[in-house]
């Protein structure tokens, strides 16, 4: 269970405010259930408050530039309320839209940039990355098991079934190659393998 602290509750309230009216892809679940679940995963592994807060806030800058809030304003508020350490970890797992010269990334370039930047990311950010993928991957698996129309699940993702499965494998392999050997990596590998096996079984059944 997520440990009680004013700092964590403050982070959850901040995330809930900025993710207000956002829902999980293909569902009616409030989006804030995702960062809350990431926080629970990180707490389960005994991560410190800064890592858990980064997990709670990891999508705010990427998804919440709206309603009068600019990226710069969000960064400033996170640093002010939760500290530069938390902000740094959040930025390290935030997908960038543009490169250093201001050129816009396409979808593949955005993912490649994310994987590349993991090389210089802190272990705190790598924990958040892994917990994010563990929750998202398990959510996909749960939805697949609940439906008779797998296409409705994979259709939520612009890269489809194969691209989505490759992404989870790529994140696991990148973290592993970088020497990140935290115990959560075993869980992430299990998620990637489960998605691959589910896909193979579905393909075989359709033949």
């Amino acid at each position: 269970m997520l440990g009680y602290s004013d700092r964590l509750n403050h982070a959850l309230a901040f995330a809930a405010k900025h993710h207000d009216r956002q829902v999980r892809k293909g569902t009616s679940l409030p989006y804030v259930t995702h960062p809350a679940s990431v926080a629970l995963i990180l707490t389960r592994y005994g991560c410190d408050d800064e890592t858990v807060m980064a997990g709670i806030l990891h999508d705010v800058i990427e998804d919440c530039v709206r309603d009068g809030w600019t990226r710069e304003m969000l960064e400033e508020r996170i640093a002010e309320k939760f500290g530069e350490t938390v902000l740094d970890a959040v930025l390290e797992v935030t997908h960038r839209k543009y490169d250093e010269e201001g050129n816009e990334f396409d979808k593949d370039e955005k993912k490649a940039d994310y994987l590349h930047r993991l090389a210089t990311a802190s272990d705190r950010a790598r924990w958040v990355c892994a917990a994010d993928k563990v929750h998202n991957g398990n959510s996909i698996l749960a939805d697949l098991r609940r439906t008779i129309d797998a296409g409705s699940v994979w259709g939520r993702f612009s890269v489809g079934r194969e691209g989505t499965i490759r992404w989870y494998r790529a994140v696991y392999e990148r973290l592993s190659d970088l020497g990140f050997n935290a115990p959560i990596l075993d869980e992430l590998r299990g998620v990637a393998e489960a998605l691959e096996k589910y896909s193979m079984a579905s393909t075989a059944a359709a033949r």
Side-chain angles (χ1 to χ4, degrees):
M1 180 179 290
L2 185 61
Y4 175 85
S5 86
D6 286 339
R7 299 175 77 202
L8 295 181
N9 285 344
H10 191 185
L12 285 165
F14 188 89
K17 170 185 174 180
H18 288 283
H19 288 298
D20 183 41
R21 303 190 307 279
Q22 294 179 346
V23 296
R24 297 279 282 159
K25 284 182 181 179
T27 78
S28 58
L29 283 173
Y31 191 85
V32 76
T33 59
H34 169 59
S37 295
V38 170
L40 287 169
I41 292 167
L42 293 169
T43 301
R44 173 159 52 84
Y45 282 99
C47 292
D48 61 21
D49 276 6
E50 281 72 23
T51 305
V52 177
M53 285 189 292
I56 292 169
L57 302 169
H58 77 276
D59 277 333
V60 168
I61 291 172
E62 186 171 325
D63 294 341
C64 301
V65 175
R66 58 179 187 141
D67 298 339
W69 287 88
T70 66
R71 179 187 173 107
E72 292 73 21
M73 291 166 64
L74 289 169
E75 289 183 19
E76 182 179 345
R77 291 295 282 168
I78 289 172
E80 176 187 325
K81 288 177 173 290
F82 308 105
E84 293 286 348
T85 297
V86 173
L87 173 62
D88 288 344
V90 170
L91 290 174
E92 287 169 335
V93 295
T94 295
H95 286 264
R96 299 194 304 173
K97 295 182 179 179
Y98 305 95
D99 65 17
E100 288 80 1
E101 286 74 43
N103 301 307
E104 187 170 6
F105 289 128
D106 64 24
K107 291 173 184 176
D108 290 339
E109 290 169 338
K110 188 184 294 186
K111 289 180 181 295
D113 176 68
Y114 179 94
L115 294 175
H116 174 74
R117 289 188 296 115
L118 286 174
T120 56
S122 62
D123 274 357
R124 177 170 285 111
R126 293 174 183 177
W127 268 100
V128 173
C129 167
D132 173 39
K133 301 306 180 287
V134 164
H135 181 248
N136 278 335
N138 277 323
S139 295
I140 294 170
L141 288 165
D143 288 345
L144 287 169
R145 291 164 183 149
R146 280 194 293 261
T147 185
I148 59 172
D149 180 16
S152 67
V153 177
W154 297 119
R156 301 172 189 170
F157 306 100
S158 59
V159 294
R161 181 182 69 178
E162 295 306 319
T164 301
I165 291 170
R166 282 198 302 272
W167 174 238
Y168 285 89
R169 171 59 64 176
V171 173
Y172 163 73
E173 290 182 349
R174 178 61 168 162
L175 288 171
S176 180
D177 289 346
L178 289 170
F180 181 69
N181 59 359
I184 194 173
L185 207 59
D186 290 336
E187 188 172 3
L188 179 56
R189 183 185 67 244
V191 168
E193 291 174 350
L195 285 167
E196 290 162 350
K197 289 176 183 177
Y198 196 97
S199 178
M200 288 188 291
S202 298
T203 299
R207 289 174 181 168

